[in-house]
């Protein structure tokens, strides 16, 4: 009788569901406007082609809830048109976060999305360097057409953090890891060309954090509380008028108001106290700001004006659950990477706009799936912690003497019927 023919595997779109997220990750550093224009469709395509219902958790529910709250603020907004645009941006990044967390179900997919993000950021870094070299009279801040210089700098810092993640999980072979090591100085130099103080401070803070973490374990525990304290204290009250001389002279840009932030923060704080619970409407503060109609340039003040105290609590809970999903308790490497992200983003959150950046939300999705990328190293960490040397084979247990071909002595089947009572 002839053997049955093997059944060919059925082709499905599930394997392609990660491609829309890869596209969004590659475009986020280079052209965020395209992501805002088509990000909703990319998220929907990724969810539909996955072939399964998303396994949602608290972070996903909170992302949906904060998007709903952003849409609700349009009702009482002081600038309805701006609020509608901002609410759509919240839905774009929120659904991208949920879709990315859904399709990043394996180490290979996570590394693919992270690699696409690095590809987009690397292209931006090269373009910045070329633009600097081609300029007849180089300016203090190099930027690309259509991209905000601060947004570019924040993406480059985030790309450096993603590079650290890939090196930590030991992606690829030695040649790939050598390329990643070479990418770090390229990203650093491009960040310096942007002239953004917060980005350079972020890079220095991450380097210091990594050095300290090598000497002291569980350093990540103090990273989140310290970041929250800085975000809450510095933009409010008398600290907003503090003039740090060393920061003013950084990049040879002696501005006595930190590029206008010391003038904007008191206005944003006063606006926040006018409607502290529900805010004045998402995206409405720039149109009501008499100082050049710019944003609050502070995560807490921006969320407070846009979404009120309710929005601040929702955003804090969302970040907390995303970092919890990164599972720092499973191993030291998890905690190291979580702390690096918090430390690196604290200067950006403190003085810039990063709350609805597509790059930020996609990277948050990557970080929340760290257990997918680090299962082997976590198991090795537990073996080392328990004092087990996995390089030596475990000693075999002595075999029990048997009575008969299979039954060991002491097993009920080998006992005399009178001994079983």
């Amino acid at each position: 009788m002839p053997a049955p023919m093997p059944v060919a595997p059925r082709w499905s779109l599930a394997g392609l569901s990660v491609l829309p997220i890869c596209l969004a990750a590659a475009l986020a550093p280079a052209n965020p406007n395209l992501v805002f224009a088509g990000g909703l469709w990319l998220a929907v395509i990724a969810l539909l082609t996955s072939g399964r219902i998303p396994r949602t958790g608290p972070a996903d529910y909170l992302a949906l809830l904060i998007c709903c709250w952003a849409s609700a603020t349009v009702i009482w907004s002081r600038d309805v048109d701006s609020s509608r645009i901002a609410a759509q941006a919240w839905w774009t990044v929120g659904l991208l976060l949920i879709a990315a967390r859904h399709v990043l179900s394996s180490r290979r997919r996570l590394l693919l999305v992270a690699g696409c993000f690095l590809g987009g950021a690397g292209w931006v870094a090269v373009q910045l360097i070329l633009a600097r070299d081609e300029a007849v009279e180089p300016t203090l801040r190099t930027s690309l057409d259509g991209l905000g210089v601060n947004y570019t700098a924040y993406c480059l810092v985030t790309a450096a953090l993603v590079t650290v993640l890939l090196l930590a999980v030991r992606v690829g072979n030695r040649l790939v890891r050598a390329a990643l090591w070479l990418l770090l100085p390229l990203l650093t130099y491009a960040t310096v060309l942007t002239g953004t103080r917060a980005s350079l401070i972020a890079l220095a803070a991450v380097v210091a954090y990594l050095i300290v973490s090598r000497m002291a374990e569980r350093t990540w525990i103090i990273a989140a509380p310290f970041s929250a304290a800085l975000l809450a204290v510095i933009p409010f009250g008398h600290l907003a008028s503090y003039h740090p001389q060393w920061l003013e002279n950084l990049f040879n840009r002696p501005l006595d108001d930190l590029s206008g932030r010391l003038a904007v923060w008191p206005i944003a704080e006063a606006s926040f106290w006018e409607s502290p619970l529900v805010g004045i409407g998402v995206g409405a503060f720039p149109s009501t700001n008499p100082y050049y109609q710019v944003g609050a340039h502070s995560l807490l003040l921006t969320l407070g004006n846009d979404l009120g105290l309710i929005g601040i609590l929702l955003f804090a809970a969302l970040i907390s659950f995303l970092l919890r999903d990164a599972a720092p308790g499973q191993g030291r490497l998890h905690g190291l990477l979580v702390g690096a992200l918090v430390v690196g983003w604290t200067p950006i959150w403190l003085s810039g706009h990063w709350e609805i950046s597509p790059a930020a939300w996609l990277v948050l999705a990557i970080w929340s799936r760290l257990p997918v990328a680090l299962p082997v190293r976590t198991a090795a960490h537990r073996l080392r912690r328990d004092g087990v040397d996995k390089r030596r084979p475990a000693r075999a247990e002595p075999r029990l003497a048997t009575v008969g071909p299979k039954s060991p002595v002491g097993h009920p089947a080998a006992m005399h019927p009178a001994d079983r009572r």
Side-chain angles (χ1 to χ4, degrees), residues 262-416:
L262 297 183
V264 170
W265 285 348
I267 299 173
E269 181 184 356
S271 176
F272 165 70
W273 289 118
E274 292 177 5
S275 182
L277 185 60
V278 298
I280 63 174
V282 59
F285 175 74
S287 61
T288 62
N289 178 16
Y291 188 85
Y292 296 117
Q293 295 186 337
V294 297
H297 282 80
S298 165
L299 176 67
L300 205 61
L301 289 175
T302 299
L303 291 175
N305 278 278
D306 286 359
L307 307 173
L309 184 60
I310 295 176
I312 292 176
L313 295 178
L314 288 176
F315 189 86
L318 172 63
I319 299 298
S320 299
F321 276 105
L322 288 173
L323 297 183
R324 188 208 66 171
D325 289 346
Q330 291 189 11
R332 182 180 179 181
L333 191 54
H334 288 79
L336 179 71
L337 292 173
V338 168
L341 183 69
V342 173
V343 170
W345 276 3
T346 296
I348 298 173
W349 278 336
L350 184 61
S351 62
H353 286 281
W354 198 235
E355 63 280 351
I356 53 173
S357 161
W361 285 64
L362 287 170
V363 170
L364 279 173
I366 293 174
W367 245 259
S368 70
R369 292 304 191 209
L370 278 181
V372 173
L374 298 170
V376 176
R377 292 181 65 85
T378 300
H381 168 79
R382 289 176 177 173
L383 289 174
R384 290 193 300 270
R385 182 189 61 189
D386 296 336
V388 178
D389 189 354
K390 65 175 183 177
R391 293 172 297 180
R392 298 181 180 179
R395 181 180 299 177
E397 295 292 335
R399 297 182 62 182
L400 298 175
T402 59
V403 177
K406 295 182 179 180
S407 302
V409 175
H411 191 277
M415 295 182 183
H416 191 274

Side-chain angles (χ1 to χ4, degrees), residues 34-340:
L34 278 180
V35 181
F36 281 124
L40 283 173
W41 293 108
L42 292 177
V44 171
I45 292 172
L47 291 172
L48 292 179
T49 55
S50 67
R52 55 191 177 89
I53 300 175
R55 298 180 59 183
T56 52
D60 305 290
Y61 292 122
L62 283 167
L64 290 175
L65 189 58
I66 196 171
C67 291
C68 292
W69 180 246
S71 298
T73 63
V74 178
I75 300 174
W76 57 83
S77 173
R78 298 180 181 177
D79 187 349
V80 176
D81 293 335
S82 298
S83 292
R84 287 174 178 171
I85 297 174
Q88 183 178 354
W90 274 101
W91 278 105
T92 300
V93 296
L95 289 181
L96 278 176
L97 173 74
I98 295 172
R101 282 167 49 83
H102 175 60
V103 302
L104 295 181
S105 55
S106 66
R107 172 184 167 93
R108 179 177 298 178
R109 291 185 170 205
L110 186 145
L111 298 181
L112 182 61
V113 173
C116 289
F117 179 80
L118 281 187
W123 183 87
V124 171
V126 172
Q127 294 300 313
L128 276 175
I129 295 173
L130 293 178
R132 178 74 169 185
D133 294 338
E134 294 175 357
V136 178
E137 295 181 358
T139 59
L140 294 175
R141 309 189 72 182
T142 306
S143 61
L144 299 178
D145 294 337
L147 280 178
V149 62
N150 289 336
Y151 178 85
T152 300
Y154 302 158
C155 285
L156 293 174
V157 171
T158 304
L161 292 170
V162 174
T163 305
V164 171
L165 182 147
L166 295 181
L167 289 171
V169 302
R170 300 185 63 82
V171 61
N173 52 25
R174 293 183 178 179
L175 183 60
V176 173
R177 292 192 289 272
L180 291 175
W181 280 111
L182 292 176
L183 183 60
L184 283 175
L186 176 70
L187 295 172
T188 301
Y189 178 60
T191 303
V192 172
L193 292 182
T194 63
T196 304
R197 298 183 181 96
S199 298
L200 190 61
I201 294 173
L203 289 177
V206 170
V207 172
Y209 167 79
L210 294 176
I211 294 175
V212 173
S213 297
R214 294 284 295 179
M215 299 182 292
E217 293 188 5
R218 304 179 71 82
T219 311
W220 56 268
I221 295 179
I222 64 174
F226 184 72
S227 173
L230 290 179
L231 294 176
V233 171
I234 290 183
F236 285 85
H238 65 279
L239 287 181
S241 59
Y242 172 62
H243 293 66
Q245 189 65 33
W246 64 272
L247 190 57
E248 293 175 6
N249 296 328
L250 194 61
F251 289 113
N252 195 25
R253 291 167 55 203
L255 302 175
D256 57 358
D257 59 354
L258 298 181
S259 299
R261 287 168 178 81
L262 297 183
V264 170
W265 285 348
I267 299 173
E269 181 184 356
S271 176
F272 165 70
W273 289 118
E274 292 177 5
S275 182
L277 185 60
V278 298
I280 63 174
V282 59
F285 175 74
S287 61
T288 62
N289 178 16
Y291 188 85
Y292 296 117
Q293 295 186 337
V294 297
H297 282 80
S298 165
L299 176 67
L300 205 61
L301 289 175
T302 299
L303 291 175
N305 278 278
D306 286 359
L307 307 173
L309 184 60
I310 295 176
I312 292 176
L313 295 178
L314 288 176
F315 189 86
L318 172 63
I319 299 298
S320 299
F321 276 105
L322 288 173
L323 297 183
R324 188 208 66 171
D325 289 346
Q330 291 189 11
R332 182 180 179 181
L333 191 54
H334 288 79
L336 179 71
L337 292 173
V338 168

